[in-house]
Amino acid sequence: MSSGRIPSVEGGIQPTIVDAKGDLIVATAADTVSRLAVGSNDQVLTADSTTATGLKWAAVAAGGMTSLASGTLSGSETTLSSISGSYNDLILVVNNPFVSGANASLNYRFNGITTNTYQTYGVKSNGTAAANSNDRVIPDFLENTLPQTTNSFSCVIIIPSYSTTNNTKMGNYNFVTSTAQATSNAFGAFSINTSSAITSISIRTGNATTFSGGTYTLYGVK
């Protein structure tokens, strides 16, 4: 059977409305149709209310990191609150934290939780196991103290699927310090027994000390 013009009947769409392979017939209004020309190779069809057809061809949106919060550490605790739940994962980077007093550890709390719902396991560069603690996701480091002067000390925490509402959130950490004498690091995993989405993270010092400096950046990852 050969194709041709459809007899003019009410509601019929003529084949001449399309011009090329891949063209689409789309609505521009009630009872009104039009042609949407095929896009370029590897483009995807995307809804766009600003176009006449409500559709467009566009490149696939690339994943990436978006800075959600950044600043300088101060006091004994810096809290990042109202964290957007519209990303897949969170990455928190803390650089060069140091304190005004000795014997301070770098601790974290999520959603302000203070009950014993945290579990951690990690390994330090000397091969020893990192300690578990109630709110200490990152274990004590550098002879149980944070530096008292700025130096090369960096920490990264990754929390995948942070906005889900299952019973456990899990993540990974890695941190490294470099001094004139040596470079050391630790890495491990942690879990938080909560069904709530992570909406706040507190960066804390231990033993009633305060931050003298250091910066943080929280990224959302698509």
Side-chain angles (χ1 to χ4, degrees):
M1 178 183 293
S2 60
S3 62
R5 183 180 295 275
I6 299 175
S8 181
V9 295
E10 185 177 356
I13 298 176
Q14 300 298 324
T16 54
I17 195 173
V18 291
D19 295 332
K21 180 174 70 174
D23 283 355
L24 299 177
I25 298 173
V26 296
T28 57
D31 305 323
T32 306
V33 296
S34 180
R35 163 183 171 264
L36 178 64
V38 63
S40 301
N41 289 344
D42 300 321
Q43 286 187 318
V44 295
L45 193 62
T46 304
D48 185 347
S49 63
T50 66
T51 66
T53 62
L55 298 169
K56 69 178 180 181
W57 293 100
V60 177
M65 301 199 318
T66 300
S67 177
L68 304 181
S70 61
T72 301
L73 298 171
S74 62
S76 60
E77 180 175 306
T78 296
T79 298
L80 318 181
S81 58
S82 301
I83 297 172
S84 169
S86 61
Y87 296 87
N88 297 328
D89 311 317
L90 292 178
I91 297 179
L92 175 61
V93 180
V94 177
N95 281 317
N96 300 321
F98 63 103
V99 294
S100 57
N103 300 317
S105 55
L106 182 61
N107 302 346
Y108 295 85
R109 281 183 182 169
F110 299 88
N111 293 353
I113 297 172
T114 59
T115 55
N116 191 20
T117 59
Y118 303 91
Q119 292 186 343
T120 68
Y121 180 77
V123 178
K124 297 182 180 181
S125 57
N126 63 6
T128 60
N132 294 334
S133 179
N134 181 31
D135 65 348
R136 188 174 300 142
V137 171
I138 301 304
D140 287 354
F141 187 69
L142 205 61
E143 298 181 353
N144 296 323
T145 63
L146 278 172
Q148 290 181 262
T149 58
T150 183
N151 72 348
S152 180
F153 185 114
S154 297
C155 166
V156 178
I157 295 179
I158 302 174
I159 312 172
S161 303
Y162 71 99
S163 61
T164 60
T165 54
N166 55 32
N167 289 329
T168 303
K169 303 294 184 298
M170 295 180 290
N172 301 95
Y173 66 83
N174 191 310
F175 69 103
V176 62
T177 189
S178 179
T179 66
Q181 289 74 34
T183 297
S184 302
N185 62 75
F187 61 90
F190 63 90
S191 65
I192 314 163
N193 185 21
T194 178
S195 60
S196 299
I198 301 300
T199 58
S200 73
I201 302 175
S202 296
I203 308 168
R204 313 175 63 246
T205 67
N207 299 339
T209 58
T210 59
F211 286 112
S212 296
T215 62
Y216 65 86
T217 305
L218 179 67
Y219 296 97
V221 182
K222 289 289 190 181

